[in-house]
Amino acid sequence: SRVCQYTGKKPSTGHNVSHSKRRTLRRFLPNLFKRNIKDPDTGKVYRLKLSAGAIRTMNKKGVPAFLRDLRKKGEIS
């Protein structure tokens, strides 16, 4: 499914609005990427589906703290 494992972002709905203001339903998909992240403590590699915002958070906090947060959420073991 198209859900970020860190932030929980998932598809939302809205409208396409044409020039004549006619509205039709559409989906807004999250900006997801598949990333292999290696745990520096154990050497284990996790394959995660993360949004761009989650990747920026990981770069800011560091990989060990990021993986610790994911463990608390129950996304990885």
Side-chain angles (χ1 to χ4, degrees), residues 4-5 13 18 24 27 29-30 35 37 39-42 47 50 55-56 60 63 69 72 77:
C4 175
Q5 290 180 273
T13 59
S18 71
T24 54
R27 291 175 79 200
L29 301 177
R35 289 285 183 258
I37 298 171
D39 188 352
D41 300 333
T42 63
R47 185 165 174 80
L50 302 172
I55 293 171
R56 291 181 66 198
K60 183 178 178 180
V63 174
D69 289 348
K72 282 182 191 173
S77 57

Side-chain angles (χ1 to χ4, degrees), residues 6-72:
Y6 185 77
T7 61
K9 289 183 182 182
K10 56 187 177 183
S12 62
T13 59
H15 289 99
N16 277 326
V17 182
S18 71
H19 180 68
S20 66
K21 311 285 193 295
R22 192 175 189 98
R23 287 164 167 76
T24 54
L25 282 178
R26 62 160 289 183
R27 291 175 79 200
F28 291 94
L29 301 177
N31 191 13
L32 294 180
F33 301 92
K34 289 181 182 170
R35 289 285 183 258
N36 292 324
I37 298 171
K38 186 176 181 179
D39 188 352
D41 300 333
T42 63
K44 191 172 179 181
V45 176
Y46 298 99
R47 185 165 174 80
L48 301 172
K49 200 180 289 188
L50 302 172
S51 65
I55 293 171
R56 291 181 66 198
T57 302
M58 179 180 64
N59 291 335
K60 183 178 178 180
K61 293 176 90 169
V63 174
F66 185 79
L67 291 175
R68 212 172 308 121
D69 289 348
L70 278 173
R71 281 191 192 91
K72 282 182 191 173

